[in-house]
Amino acid sequence: MHDRTISRRALLTATAVAAAAVATSAAPVVAAPPHLAPLAPYRRDRLRRLISRMSLEEKVGQLFVMRVYGHSATAPDQADIDANLAEIGVRTAAELISTYHVGGIIYFAWAHNTRNPRQIAELSNGIQKAGLAQNTPVPLLISTDQEHGIVARVGKPATLLPGAMALGASRSRADAREAARIAGAELAAMGINQNYAPDADVNVNPVIGVRSFGADPQAVAGMVAAQVTGYQSAGIATAAKHFPGHGDTKDDSHYALPTIHHTREQWSELDAPPFRAAIAAGVTSIMTAHIVVPALDPSEDPATLSRPIVTGVLREQLGYDGVVITDALGMEGVRQKYGDDRVPVLALKAGVDQLLNPPNLRIAWNAVLAAVKGGEISEERVEKSILRILELKERLGLFSGDAAVSLRNLDRTVGTRAHLTAADRIAERTTTLLVNENKLLPLNRRRQRNLLVVGADPASPSGTTGPPTTVLARALAELGFTATALSTGTAPSAAQIEAAVAGARGKDAVVVATYNVSATSSQRTLVSALAATGVPVVTVAIRNPYDIARLSGVRASLAAYSWTDVEVRAAARVIAGRVRPRGTLPVPVQRADDPAQVLYPIGHGLAY
């Protein structure tokens, strides 16, 4: 696997010039002016006076962003009360705020925070009411991970848009900016004022995969800057992530502590450009990664806990003085070397401002409090971070009576026809046609009317879309075909393969949704068995676009980059010829039998 990573890195270096020639986003990044203007001195002085009135406990609380279970700030379901008591020692979001004075709350679908737009807005308003009811009234940053594509916490009826790699395939900064503007406007209407997006990682190794805009650093930089501008034009804060760059590792920091083996020069060429672009575009926060980069810090501490990386590189070398937030502190990447009581203290000493979602808030909060009381961290140091956090809240208008959102504004903003139509049009420009033998596509409704749709049905990222095979079959049916859906999963059994082969008999074509096909995946067997029937096989990669390298007998193949409805429906329109394929690969696809060789380069994409 390490050799494959080296090959990917070498390929990226070798194809950078060619990528620049075919990708319009590879043009020099033009800095966009920050939407959120710097504060006037008198406003900053007002915030300093507010900090001076805070107790030490309140100051420590402002540093934390925490999860909480429940759809309501004061009256969650009993199961959520029980979960809060077990994990946090409080019953509700309001009690969390009054007890720990947290500066922010992060929403998750699995924490039952995001049932529907109206509920989300009411929860947000309840949280802000609790924040302003404290002895020292302070509004909260309410955040979530709404990257779109494969990471989406808020689902339908909110607008769901193509994710990063899909947008990278369009090579349209305008589309990236517009997608972010729409997403930001809808989040703001629901009272979510900070989105942990865009992902600024350059995808060399596919752990980050489709969460990245692609493999060319300058192209990624242009898309990141466009999205920062789009989100912040809608009045919400952004968080470019995961600094100093999580794009070239085989390990996932949720479960392990990855190491990035780039030299300092390689880091500067491959990883740094998107973060430089985000800073130039006025990004309001940057999220750290739980990764080791020995070239930047030989101590091999994870970047989140590394003063040479956070302060030395991000603050001093890149000149960033905005809010720095950790990735979630419950991830294994940051817990392997130090205990949960030391991690938040070391993060603050490294130069971080916000501590995201520790596994045990009581331990983390008390550890920081003890570190300040014991002199390990000065109160002045804490106040410097708090001022950055409060300045961001002020720039968002949260101190100006705008913390609560209007419920009447929801229907005029969230999931509007204009937004949904824009999402469909953007998605159509992302679908990438990789193979089209003998011009099989577009399918003809008269000659190839009767279709079978089989393949993977991964769970919806937001819990509100899919399943993909059903969505694809339905979309093709709406376009005039007769389409039957048969889910065979990501690891089809022999019986499922046999059923798919039987179902293909008499059909004019079979469409197969594939999902991260590996060397040993039975999805390969499924595709080969279907191809052996003589019925033309069309594959649609619904996650990473590398599947085609491991498949044989395929007559046509597309990359959709995600299995959310908007991208699956766009693929259906391309298959049916209602729109032409316009996307091109933002990453190289290597040969499965020889990763040093490129099967399809950056910029590859067929048309008709």
Side-chain angles (χ1 to χ4, degrees):
M1 187 68 177
H2 183 59
D3 289 341
R4 186 178 180 89
T5 301
I6 293 172
S7 297
R8 287 181 182 279
R9 193 181 308 138
L11 281 168
L12 176 58
T13 302
T15 58
V17 174
V22 298
T24 59
S25 293
V29 176
V30 178
H35 172 71
L36 304 174
L39 294 184
Y42 78 90
R43 294 169 72 187
R44 187 172 288 111
D45 290 342
R46 186 175 64 189
L47 296 177
R48 288 193 178 100
R49 290 194 295 272
L50 176 63
I51 294 171
S52 71
R53 296 197 299 270
M54 291 181 181
S55 67
L56 180 57
E57 289 76 9
E58 289 173 323
K59 291 176 183 176
V60 169
Q62 280 298 303
L63 305 174
F64 285 92
V65 179
M66 189 60 185
R67 70 189 179 279
V68 66
Y69 290 86
H71 70 286
S72 164
T74 55
D77 295 338
Q78 186 60 50
D80 292 322
I81 291 174
D82 294 342
N84 285 328
L85 287 170
E87 294 186 19
I88 314 173
V90 300
R91 295 170 57 84
T92 66
E95 191 176 328
L96 167 65
I97 293 163
S98 66
T99 302
Y100 288 102
H101 318 290
V102 293
I105 284 179
I106 179 172
Y107 287 169
F108 293 103
W110 53 258
H112 310 139
N113 304 139
T114 57
R115 291 181 177 176
N116 59 70
R118 186 177 187 87
Q119 168 270 316
I120 295 169
E122 290 174 341
L123 172 61
S124 299
N125 286 348
I127 285 169
Q128 298 295 5
K129 182 178 179 180
L132 297 176
Q134 299 178 95
N135 289 334
T136 306
V138 183
L140 281 84
L141 287 172
I142 299 175
S143 58
T144 196
D145 293 286
Q146 188 78 352
E147 299 174 20
H148 289 273
I150 71 167
V151 177
R153 313 303 188 201
V154 181
K156 294 193 302 185
T159 304
L160 293 169
L161 293 131
M165 191 172 286
L167 293 171
S170 78
R171 295 192 308 283
S172 170
R173 294 183 188 179
D175 279 355
R177 184 166 50 250
E178 177 66 2
R181 185 199 64 78
I182 290 169
E186 296 199 4
L187 291 175
M190 292 179 277
I192 299 171
N193 47 47
Q194 183 173 34
N195 191 16
Y196 297 143
D199 192 304
D201 301 313
V202 177
N203 183 70
V204 178
N205 189 291
V207 165
I208 288 295
V210 294
R211 296 175 64 191
S212 163
F213 289 103
D216 177 63
Q218 295 304 321
V220 173
M223 302 300 273
V224 166
Q227 287 233 298
V228 167
T229 302
Y231 278 120
Q232 293 182 185
S233 72
I236 70 167
T238 48
K241 59 189 185 185
H242 307 81
F243 189 83
H246 202 313
D248 189 6
T249 172
K250 65 182 178 65
D251 297 314
D252 186 335
S253 54
H254 288 85
Y255 312 107
L257 177 56
T259 297
I260 302 292
H261 296 283
H262 291 177
T263 65
R264 185 174 283 268
E265 291 73 23
Q266 286 175 323
W267 173 82
S268 184
E269 292 174 2
L270 297 178
D271 302 294
F275 292 101
R276 293 184 189 275
I279 292 168
V283 70
T284 45
S285 58
I286 290 179
M287 179 180 286
T288 64
H290 306 325
I291 56 174
V292 169
V293 190
L296 302 182
D297 181 358
S299 75
E300 300 197 359
D301 278 343
T304 296
L305 311 182
S306 168
R307 185 168 181 83
I309 292 176
V310 177
T311 297
V313 177
L314 180 56
R315 297 252 190 239
E316 296 173 358
Q317 181 179 332
L318 300 187
Y320 182 66
D321 194 40
V323 172
V324 176
I325 182 169
T326 71
D327 206 343
L329 296 183
M331 294 166 60
E332 286 304 310
V334 79
R335 302 176 74 190
Q336 288 196 357
K337 195 170 180 180
Y338 302 99
D340 291 339
D341 58 335
R342 292 301 298 161
V343 165
V345 174
L346 294 173
L348 292 171
K349 293 176 73 173
V352 161
D353 301 305
Q354 287 185 302
L355 304 164
L356 177 61
N357 201 23
N360 188 308
L361 179 60
R362 179 185 60 81
I363 288 174
W365 190 87
N366 281 310
V368 173
L369 185 64
V372 178
K373 287 182 176 179
E376 184 178 4
I377 300 174
S378 70
E379 195 162 350
E380 180 183 11
R381 164 67 188 87
V382 170
E383 290 177 354
K384 189 173 183 179
S385 283
I386 296 171
L387 182 60
R388 287 193 187 102
I389 295 165
L390 295 187
E391 283 182 356
L392 177 53
K393 294 179 180 182
E394 173 76 0
R395 292 167 70 198
L396 290 169
L398 300 180
F399 283 103
S400 304
D402 296 328
V405 294
S406 167
L407 298 181
R408 291 193 299 272
N409 190 45
L410 282 173
D411 292 339
R412 296 195 295 266
T413 305
V414 178
T416 63
R417 182 178 298 275
H419 285 179
L420 294 172
T421 298
D424 281 335
R425 298 293 84 80
I426 291 169
E428 288 172 355
R429 293 188 281 270
T430 70
T431 306
T432 305
L433 180 60
L434 303 178
V435 176
N436 194 19
E437 289 186 2
N438 300 319
K439 297 183 179 180
L440 174 66
L441 298 184
L443 296 180
N444 185 293
R445 284 181 295 172
R446 290 186 295 275
R447 295 193 304 270
Q448 298 142 325
R449 186 180 186 85
N450 196 8
L451 309 179
L452 175 67
V453 178
V454 304
D457 275 334
S460 167
S462 65
T464 63
T465 66
T469 56
T470 300
V471 172
L472 186 54
R474 184 184 302 125
L476 289 167
E478 291 170 356
L479 294 168
F481 295 87
T482 299
T484 303
L486 176 64
S487 177
T488 50
T490 57
S493 65
Q496 288 172 315
I497 293 171
E498 184 178 345
V501 167
R505 295 192 182 98
K507 297 294 190 293
D508 299 315
V510 180
V511 181
V512 186
T514 65
Y515 181 96
N516 288 5
V517 178
S518 67
T520 59
S521 173
S522 57
Q523 292 179 75
R524 300 179 69 190
T525 309
L526 170 69
V527 170
S528 295
L530 289 168
T533 66
V535 178
V537 173
V538 179
T539 62
V540 181
I542 59 173
R543 188 160 178 167
N544 290 321
Y546 312 115
D547 293 358
I548 186 59
R550 296 192 181 278
L551 301 175
S552 59
V554 174
R555 290 276 305 278
S557 182
L558 302 99
Y561 305 101
S562 179
W563 61 96
T564 53
D565 290 6
V566 68
E567 286 158 299
V568 171
R569 289 196 307 265
R573 290 194 291 277
V574 169
I575 291 169
R578 291 298 180 92
V579 297
R580 296 179 178 181
R582 295 174 59 181
T584 60
L585 282 173
V587 294
V589 174
Q590 296 156 266
R591 288 182 51 161
D593 58 346
D594 184 3
Q597 300 298 316
V598 173
L599 182 62
Y600 300 113
I602 292 175
H604 173 78
L606 304 177
Y608 46 77

